[in-house]
Amino acid sequence: MSLTDPPVCRRESCAVAVLLLAGLWLPAVADTPLRPAKAGDADAGARPRIALVLGGGGAKGGAHIGVLRALDELRIPIDCVAGTSMGALVGATFAAGLPPDEIERRVLAIDWSATVGTAGKRDLQPIQRKLRAATYTNDLRLGIRNGRLALPGGLLSSQSIEELLRQLVAGARAIDDFDELPVPFRAVATDMLSGEMVVLGDGDLALAMRASMAVPGAFAPVTLGSRLLADGGQVRNLPVDVGRALCGDVVIAAWIATPVPDPEELKTAVGMLSRSLDVMIDANTHAQLATLGPRDVAIRIDPGDVTASDFDRVPEMIPAGRAATLAQARQLQRYALPERAYRAWRARINRSGAQPIRPAALRITGTQRVSADYLRSQLVETRVGEPVSPEQIARDSERLYAVADFERVTWRLAGEPDEPAVEFHVQEREDGPDFFSFDFGLGGSAGGDLGFALRAEHERAWLNRRGGAWRNTAELGSRSQLRSRLNQPLDSRQRVYVESGLLAEQRIEDNYLAGRRAGEYRLQDLRWDLAGGLNLGRRAQLQAGVRLGWTRADLRSGPADFPEFGWRRESALAARAVYDTRDDIAVPTGGSLILLRYLDAGEWLDGEQDYSLGEALLFHAFSRGGTTGYMSAAGGKAFRGRLPVNRGFRLGGMRSFPGLERFERRGRAYWLVAAGINRKLLDIEPVFGQALYAGLRLTAAELNDAFDGRSQGTLYGAAVNLGGRTPIGPFALSLGATDQGDWQFQFGLGRPLDEGGIWDELR
């Protein structure tokens, strides 16, 4: 890409405003002359050449689509375009030859929760990655750089955004000189090393758009040669000088105004930081506006209460941009073409979308640790000799991104035009192969139950070309554990695997008598396990193996006749089957979970425990509009012997039976059915699925052969709840009651606490 220079500050997401403090630099601005764009139009010599300049604004920049629609209605020809951030996205799409109505159609069809957020991402993951322990309070995977823990280049993945950009300009992907586009174009970015403005005029058009939109802290910067490029708004939010140097005898400049804040909003550190960014951006923008002359046209767009991160409100900004442009119709009509001349100009620059591709070959490049054969096996829609659209290739690119810790995955057409090869290029994270994640959970009840969990996970992936992985867990809280597992696939597609692990665990659980807390158990396990398994696509897994170790149930306090035992050797066969299509592990709004487990302990290999048990869980979630619902059923039974107290089934807690305390009921057999419905009260951050819900849950259960000797028949309960996903993780409040007079007010934040049942298996 050719690199030159023009100015401003721009911010895409209010959600990451705090992260931008480190980005408040005063950039140096170089004044390298731009290449003049070619004339392109037969009538250019008879009229002034018009440059359209589109400023940044995040979601508010959707207004630029309305600007294009109004200019089209007024028959104003555009000879070149310069844009920053969201202005670069809209401007490049127009420059690639898409008419305004088609741009509007495509942008309105974007699912921003999937493009910017994480909606739909879990279903793309292979089952072995999907079942890897999840974090609830954040999505960060920290690597190691220069011997220290290092954050990724951006807190949000830009993979889906890059695929969106490639699709928007797919018809112009073969053009690497932006002067050769139907409308000459320039994107503005910031070199984060020098602080200078960079004008992008050739190379990969989608990459130029991505660089111009790379909000520091939110999205990883784009490396281009010796430059580290990020959001162009930091140095030129409204690149009037770039447009004028490119072709503009006349400049039409459209920018998003910043509303005057309420003084109350500036009484917090975050409010002041956000406002300081706005002040810098406004100063930069107004410096450019001051260069406009009497022939130029300024279009000021009022965003109302739409913020830069309100991507779900992009449709509201389109008519705002159109109205602001039509308000300047009198000035603009000086440059209008007659109907026939305008339609001829429009026909010359219009381009149809990309045509289907029939790949002659498929290639995977860029791999270092990850196996190219494994990546090739993950392609679903792109096949040699079969027609495929850019959208289908993009979906396969997303599938590749989901299988490993990649910085990004891109694709291009290589080879001869009549026999193209689809080439996927992966960029592995430089801070690998060791990755760390951290999580926390807090929960309690009005009855005095209070627990916490602090958890750290380590993973070293791709130990070998088959994809061997070493995973370690340390957790501190009401359940403390150290765990280490080694997983080794046996084939290149990772369908068959063996896994071995070590576990040291201690759980502190209350015990109850007649519904009242009577004391406390300390349950301990030390064991080694070896298992083999089968991964069935992206949704199912089968596993079976052996466990050898020692177990102990220590009654630290409580009635003397409660069961307990000292250290005993335990030898067991263990099996598990999982089918998982949930869209989210913390607050699922769609999909199903089926989990079956079987444990058989015997006297072989000097085992001192003799029992067998089976347990099953079925769960299904659904949503419609602002309402979500779910149904679940679970049950367990001891088939042989007497279950020891630490292997017994428990009921109680917000996930199993909200009207009871955690661990309140213990027995050797149970069944449970539940159904709930939740209604959305308000959106917190819709793009990231963050919302607050109120709901109702009904539960029925029966526990048999109770450890405290009580047999109470079927128990019915109801609970009202308030909760949802927040910026610091899932949050829940529950007030539950049973038909036997029990009631509990409970809360949870972040990682769910142990409830001692099958619900804990896949957290």
Side-chain angles (χ1 to χ4, degrees):
M1 288 183 175
S2 63
L3 308 175
T4 37
D5 305 279
V8 113
C9 278
R10 174 71 313 272
R11 231 346 344 162
E12 300 283 299
S13 172
C14 295
V16 295
V18 176
L19 301 173
L20 301 183
L21 184 58
L24 303 181
W25 308 278
L26 294 177
V29 177
D31 294 314
T32 304
L34 293 160
R35 285 183 298 163
K38 58 178 182 164
D41 290 320
D43 59 344
R47 60 174 178 81
R49 294 181 54 78
I50 300 173
L52 177 63
V53 175
L54 303 176
K60 298 180 290 185
H64 295 318
I65 300 171
V67 172
L68 292 174
R69 294 220 63 163
L71 293 176
D72 190 53
E73 294 172 28
L74 296 171
R75 304 193 306 277
I76 309 299
I78 302 301
D79 298 293
C80 63
V81 181
T84 296
S85 199
M86 191 66 166
L89 181 151
V90 176
T93 307
F94 174 78
L98 287 186
D101 57 345
E102 178 64 13
I103 297 175
E104 180 175 2
R105 185 189 68 80
R106 294 194 184 192
V107 170
L108 290 181
I110 295 171
D111 181 354
W112 292 104
S113 64
T115 302
V116 180
T118 59
K121 300 294 190 295
R122 191 169 187 269
D123 194 49
L124 298 175
Q125 296 176 338
I127 187 68
Q128 63 270 32
R129 191 171 177 89
K130 187 183 295 185
L131 298 183
R132 183 181 64 191
T135 54
Y136 287 73
T137 57
N138 64 85
D139 295 319
L140 297 178
R141 278 172 63 80
L142 282 64
I144 299 290
R145 187 180 290 116
N146 299 324
R148 298 181 179 181
L149 284 177
L151 288 168
L155 296 182
L156 303 177
S157 167
S158 63
Q159 178 66 26
S160 295
I161 293 176
E162 293 185 33
E163 290 299 345
L164 166 67
L165 300 179
R166 281 188 278 271
Q167 290 180 46
L168 288 175
V169 298
R173 290 206 66 187
I175 299 175
D176 58 11
D177 182 346
F178 299 172
D179 285 343
E180 299 301 322
L181 293 168
V183 178
F185 172 73
R186 296 293 184 271
V188 174
T190 302
D191 183 355
M192 301 303 289
L193 298 178
S194 67
E196 296 180 347
M197 179 182 68
V198 176
V199 177
L200 303 172
D202 60 19
D204 186 325
L205 181 58
L207 190 63
M209 298 159 70
R210 160 77 171 84
S212 186
M213 300 175 64
V215 178
F219 301 112
V222 172
T223 300
L224 191 63
S226 61
R227 307 256 192 178
L228 196 65
L229 303 182
D231 193 309
Q234 297 174 91
V235 289
R236 201 71 97 246
N237 192 55
L238 188 67
V240 171
D241 51 352
V242 177
R244 196 178 301 282
L246 181 59
C247 79
D249 302 321
V250 171
V251 171
I252 298 174
W255 88 101
I256 314 298
T258 302
V260 177
D262 186 324
E264 292 296 316
E265 298 174 358
L266 304 183
K267 292 184 178 181
T268 67
V270 172
M272 282 298 293
L273 177 58
S274 178
R275 179 55 182 164
S276 69
L277 294 170
D278 288 340
V279 169
M280 293 180 65
I281 291 168
D282 285 349
N284 189 298
T285 300
H286 289 132
Q288 287 292 294
L289 289 171
T291 68
L292 296 178
R295 301 178 68 194
D296 302 322
V297 181
I299 300 172
R300 179 186 184 277
I301 302 165
D302 183 0
D305 63 348
V306 178
T307 69
S309 62
D310 288 339
F311 285 93
D312 60 312
R313 301 181 67 184
V314 165
E316 298 178 36
M317 291 304 304
I318 295 175
R322 178 177 178 275
T325 306
L326 293 178
Q328 304 299 321
R330 186 171 181 180
Q331 292 191 64
L332 290 168
Q333 283 175 340
R334 294 177 290 173
Y335 309 115
L337 291 180
E339 179 73 25
R340 179 176 297 180
Y342 181 78
R343 294 306 164 201
W345 171 83
R346 178 81 261 172
R348 285 195 297 273
I349 69 166
N350 278 357
R351 297 292 186 274
S352 61
Q355 300 301 310
I357 302 156
R358 191 181 295 272
L362 298 178
R363 300 173 189 161
I364 306 288
T365 64
T367 58
Q368 298 176 31
R369 296 179 295 271
V370 181
S371 164
D373 289 339
Y374 173 66
L375 295 179
R376 194 173 290 107
S377 74
Q378 300 302 303
L379 299 176
V380 175
E381 300 181 70
T382 310
R383 301 181 183 277
V384 173
E386 297 182 11
V388 62
S389 68
E391 290 78 13
Q392 291 174 300
I393 300 175
R395 287 195 292 268
D396 269 342
S397 180
E398 294 256 27
R399 290 184 180 98
L400 296 187
Y401 181 79
V403 306
D405 288 284
F406 292 130
E407 191 73 49
R408 61 175 53 88
V409 176
T410 61
W411 66 271
R412 71 183 185 97
L413 298 180
E416 297 300 323
D418 55 343
E419 291 188 346
V422 176
E423 182 177 284
F424 294 94
H425 181 78
V426 300
Q427 181 181 338
E428 299 180 25
R429 281 180 56 171
E430 296 179 353
D431 52 359
D434 292 285
F435 295 100
F436 297 82
S437 57
F438 301 90
D439 204 11
F440 77 89
L442 181 66
S445 73
D449 178 32
L450 182 63
F452 73 94
L454 297 175
R455 186 180 178 97
E457 295 267 355
H458 161 260
E459 179 180 32
R460 169 167 279 203
W462 292 98
L463 299 173
N464 49 54
R465 300 302 289 177
R466 291 286 174 86
W470 181 36
R471 300 184 180 100
N472 301 286
T473 303
E475 184 172 329
L476 180 65
S478 52
R479 179 181 76 167
S480 298
Q481 71 168 215
L482 293 173
R483 185 170 189 173
S484 183
R485 291 170 293 162
L486 185 64
N487 181 285
Q488 179 58 60
L490 301 180
D491 64 315
S492 62
R493 297 172 66 93
Q494 298 190 5
R495 290 171 294 190
V496 182
Y497 67 90
V498 293
E499 183 172 275
S500 181
L502 295 172
L503 172 70
E505 180 179 79
Q506 174 175 283
R507 290 174 288 154
I508 304 300
E509 296 182 3
D510 291 328
N511 56 55
Y512 291 80
L513 181 62
R516 294 186 178 181
R517 185 176 288 104
E520 185 177 84
Y521 272 114
R522 178 173 61 185
L523 308 176
Q524 296 172 298
D525 279 285
L526 294 171
R527 74 168 181 254
W528 168 79
D529 57 75
L530 176 65
L534 182 64
N535 295 316
L536 303 174
R538 289 179 166 80
R539 298 184 171 184
Q541 183 185 81
L542 304 176
Q543 179 174 297
V546 297
R547 294 179 178 179
L548 304 174
W550 292 264
T551 184
R552 178 190 184 196
D554 176 27
L555 184 65
R556 300 177 68 177
S557 61
D561 60 346
F562 270 32
E564 65 173 329
F565 56 87
W567 286 106
R568 293 180 181 174
R569 287 188 298 274
E570 184 173 78
S571 304
L573 300 174
R576 187 182 77 171
V578 183
Y579 175 81
D580 189 357
T581 63
R582 293 171 296 170
D583 59 357
D584 184 78
I585 194 171
V587 187
T589 59
S592 301
L593 171 66
I594 300 173
L595 175 59
L596 309 174
R597 72 182 186 104
Y598 176 76
L599 191 64
D600 191 326
E603 296 179 356
W604 49 281
L605 293 178
D606 294 326
E608 298 177 285
Q609 303 272 56
D610 186 21
Y611 67 87
S612 65
L613 65 86
E615 192 172 15
L617 169 67
L618 291 83
F619 173 89
H620 179 69
F622 55 91
S623 62
R624 183 165 185 165
T627 301
T628 66
Y630 60 90
M631 300 175 290
S632 63
K637 181 178 175 59
F639 299 118
R640 187 189 76 250
R642 297 284 292 176
L643 285 186
V645 65
N646 62 334
R647 301 293 184 248
F649 304 110
R650 290 88 143 176
L651 290 180
M654 283 192 292
R655 286 178 296 143
S656 60
F657 207 119
L660 304 175
E661 290 273 27
R662 289 189 305 144
F663 320 120
E664 185 169 333
R665 303 289 176 91
R666 298 172 184 267
R668 296 179 174 87
Y670 82 99
W671 61 263
L672 177 147
V673 293
I677 190 166
N678 297 303
R679 181 69 182 174
K680 186 186 294 184
L681 298 180
L682 60 91
D683 283 312
I684 300 173
E685 193 64 65
V687 168
F688 299 107
Q690 296 171 5
L692 191 63
Y693 292 83
L696 172 69
R697 168 176 165 151
L698 302 177
T699 309
E702 185 172 318
L703 187 75
N704 297 313
D705 199 3
F707 283 96
D708 64 1
R710 299 173 69 199
S711 180
Q712 298 179 318
T714 302
L715 184 69
Y716 298 95
V720 292
N721 53 75
L722 179 70
R725 179 173 285 280
T726 74
I728 57 173
F731 165 76
L733 294 174
S734 173
L735 178 61
T738 76
D739 66 331
Q740 297 178 6
D742 304 292
W743 71 273
Q744 284 301 329
F745 177 75
Q746 298 163 310
F747 77 92
L749 176 65
R751 187 176 189 84
L753 299 184
D754 247 14
E755 293 185 8
I758 197 169
W759 298 270
D760 299 333
E761 285 281 317
L762 293 179
R763 292 180 305 157

